[in-house]
Amino acid sequence: MTQQWRPSKGPALRRYQREVFFDLLDALRTRRGETFTVMFPRQAGKNEVAAELLQALLRLESERGGSAIAASPTLTPQGLISLERTRAALERTDRVGTAGATRVDGATISLGAATAHFLSASPSAHVAGHTASILLSGDEGQELDREWFERQFRPMAASTAANTVFFGTPWNGHTLLDEAVARNRERDTGPEEGRSLFHYEVSWEKVAESVAPYREFVLKERERLGTEDVYFRTQYGLQTVDGAGSLFTAAALAALEGTYQRQKEPRPHERYVAGLDLGGGGEHADRSVLTIARVCPGARCEVVDHASWRGIPLLDLDAKVLEKVRPWRLERLVVDSTGLGASSAEHLARELGSVTVEAFMFSGRSKSDLGQRLLGGATQRTLALYANDGSVDARICRAELRACGRTNHPGGRMQWGAAGGNDDYVVSLALALRAAEQAGEPRFATGRRRE
């Protein structure tokens, strides 16, 4: 290597970031054809380390030349965000008289004769023809398709003996990153002194030593989700969790089981809300599911009844929903208003009058937030189902809860639902929980006092 690397100006890496950066950079400069792994807890700055690492290698190889490949689960936005971070790091390290030496052409950054290509690792992307001689890196390695990466990306370093680095967080022990970490941990054991590590890991407690607000954030997340929550254990505790692809753990499913009986009518002095998931009106449409719940002291939501319909035109379905909910004297009803559901939400709001009807629009972010609240309700025992009475509703609801899966994405967004199956009861349950959480404290009527 023909250049001396100089630390980036501008925002400085924190101590725990610097330790990983310098050790890993030294390992990459002294070894060839190896695979290294890096795990930081969520939002702890691993992407900044990756950007500094790539810019340092590009600068070191700027005269000799070569190419680096940076793979992300998607090009937009993940790959382009990585590109921008690397470009900013390169510009901060430009020396006097070399301003503007960094060039960006599409998804490629060049510095002198060295280049870095930012590619999507999605199986639908076309990536053939690239070569990695400086570095092959994989961001969010737990989300990369193992078979596709091994088939399309590994060969890029076959003729150059370039090193590979995976960044990310653990998951269920069977991802590309999890398996690489397991191998590296075995290699890092032993008496050899002075050797470079193959696996680098920073705990959330270590991050908190440098970032006080981070400690407060993680402690609040631990309180909200619970110490046994899969998301907390993997994303912050850096623990591999068998079966982590499921939305609910066995403990969370058990916590949802109530001991009270199903109700077919309201009781005096109890408060009720409901969630409605609309499945459409076609013959082969999903079920439309109504979940009725009572709001209990301590912000507890207890499901007391279900109703479901399939293959009914939306106008007829609205009539059946109205017939079902009117006796319950609901305070709030949250309706899935995505697509054709918007008209049903408007119609129900007009007909129900005093009932607050919320039209809930699903998006990637709103569904993620809804799922997080659903998980919180289960782990904190603020959500419960009536005792299993062997009915179709009780059976299908529990089957959907067991089968519901999830995938975590960068930034804390969670994608959840049934893979190849139905999740109508789960969605309706989540909407009912939202209605209960927003119902607030009981409202008492007040009148004017006579003088």
Side-chain angles (χ1 to χ4, degrees):
M1 297 185 177
T2 55
Q3 294 272 346
Q4 275 295 109
W5 177 82
R6 304 196 316 170
S8 168
K9 300 176 183 177
L13 294 178
R14 299 184 177 99
R15 180 177 179 180
Y16 66 89
Q17 292 173 306
R18 292 198 304 270
E19 290 175 354
V20 172
F21 169 76
F22 283 112
D23 287 351
L24 183 53
L25 179 62
D26 182 67
L28 292 173
R29 296 178 69 183
T30 56
R31 295 175 181 267
R32 299 294 293 172
E34 300 288 2
T35 296
F36 300 88
T37 50
V38 180
M39 281 186 174
F40 278 26
R42 185 64 63 193
Q43 298 297 314
K46 69 174 174 57
N47 296 109
E48 286 75 13
V49 173
E52 286 287 353
L53 190 70
L54 187 52
Q55 74 88 13
L57 293 173
L58 288 175
R59 192 165 296 285
L60 288 164
E61 298 289 358
S62 60
E63 293 182 8
R64 180 186 304 179
S67 58
I69 301 295
S72 300
T74 62
L75 179 59
T76 305
Q78 292 161 294
L80 297 184
I81 291 174
S82 296
L83 181 150
E84 176 56 28
R85 285 195 177 102
T86 306
R87 181 201 62 76
L90 279 165
E91 290 187 351
R92 288 196 298 268
T93 57
D94 279 343
R95 290 180 289 250
V96 176
T98 63
T102 301
R103 304 179 305 280
V104 178
D105 182 12
T108 299
I109 289 181
S110 300
L111 181 68
T115 60
H117 303 282
F118 295 81
L119 304 177
S120 168
S122 167
S124 63
H126 300 287
V127 297
H130 288 280
T131 299
S133 58
I134 297 175
L135 180 70
L136 173 61
S137 71
D139 186 30
E140 300 297 342
Q142 74 280 4
E143 297 182 22
L144 301 180
D145 185 284
R146 177 173 40 311
E147 182 180 351
W148 184 253
F149 191 92
E150 297 293 352
R151 185 195 309 167
Q152 295 293 330
F153 285 87
R154 285 286 193 187
M156 295 178 185
S159 63
T160 63
N163 292 309
T164 299
V165 181
F166 291 123
F167 297 87
T169 51
W171 193 230
N172 60 7
H174 306 295
T175 68
L176 181 67
L177 176 63
D178 284 330
E179 293 181 352
V181 168
R183 290 192 295 268
N184 281 349
R185 282 173 173 159
E186 289 185 6
R187 300 178 73 185
D188 285 340
T189 60
E192 184 178 344
E193 295 183 1
R195 67 176 180 179
S196 300
L197 292 174
F198 289 97
H199 177 62
Y200 298 83
E201 184 172 311
V202 176
S203 68
W204 75 262
E205 292 90 347
K206 185 74 172 179
V207 177
E209 291 177 4
S210 299
V211 190
Y214 191 80
R215 173 182 293 278
E216 297 302 316
F217 173 79
V218 175
L219 290 176
K220 287 179 180 178
E221 284 295 278
R222 186 172 68 182
E223 180 180 358
R224 181 175 72 87
L225 298 173
T227 57
E228 295 304 310
D229 177 75
V230 173
Y231 184 80
F232 183 84
R233 291 173 64 189
T234 57
Q235 304 303 292
Y236 296 103
L238 300 184
Q239 301 174 34
T240 298
V241 178
D242 188 26
S246 299
L247 179 60
F248 297 99
T249 63
L253 289 172
L256 287 172
E257 292 293 342
T259 57
Y260 57 92
Q261 299 302 306
R262 185 175 184 174
Q263 292 176 218
K264 287 302 181 181
E265 58 185 18
R267 296 171 180 169
H269 312 300
E270 288 189 345
R271 306 169 62 203
Y272 298 99
V273 296
L276 176 61
D277 176 47
L278 293 170
E283 180 181 357
H284 303 291
D286 292 341
R287 288 183 181 84
S288 293
V289 178
L290 177 72
T291 299
I292 298 174
R294 63 174 166 234
V295 183
C296 303
R300 181 172 169 84
C301 173
E302 295 183 347
V303 175
V304 296
D305 196 15
H306 279 117
S308 65
W309 304 271
R310 172 177 274 172
I312 300 176
L314 283 178
L315 285 178
D316 294 339
L317 177 63
D318 289 349
K320 289 188 175 295
V321 171
L322 288 168
E323 180 183 1
K324 178 68 179 179
V325 302
R326 277 185 169 129
W328 286 92
R329 307 185 307 273
L330 298 181
E331 291 186 16
R332 299 184 69 89
L333 170 64
V334 180
V335 181
D336 169 16
S337 65
T338 310
L340 297 176
S343 61
S344 287
E346 292 177 3
H347 182 215
L348 293 171
R350 288 195 304 269
E351 293 295 322
L352 291 173
S354 62
V355 178
T356 301
V357 177
E358 178 189 356
F360 186 87
M361 181 67 69
F362 277 95
S363 65
R365 174 53 63 185
S366 69
K367 187 173 183 180
S368 173
D369 293 341
L370 200 67
Q372 296 285 8
R373 300 306 305 169
L374 190 58
L375 278 175
T379 57
Q380 296 176 31
R381 297 180 179 272
T382 57
L383 175 63
L385 302 171
Y386 54 82
N388 192 341
D389 58 358
S391 64
V392 172
D393 288 320
R395 177 174 55 81
I396 297 178
C397 178
R398 286 163 172 79
E400 287 189 3
L401 288 167
R402 289 193 300 270
C404 200
R406 70 168 170 178
T407 302
N408 293 315
H409 295 282
R413 185 172 65 84
M414 180 178 72
Q415 181 179 348
W416 60 276
N422 297 312
D423 56 10
D424 316 302
Y425 281 85
V426 183
V427 172
S428 179
L429 176 63
L431 295 175
L433 176 62
R434 178 180 175 87
E437 290 179 334
Q438 295 191 344
E441 296 299 320
R443 297 191 298 270
F444 298 97
T446 57
R448 295 183 61 185
R449 186 178 63 183
R450 293 189 178 186
E451 300 296 336

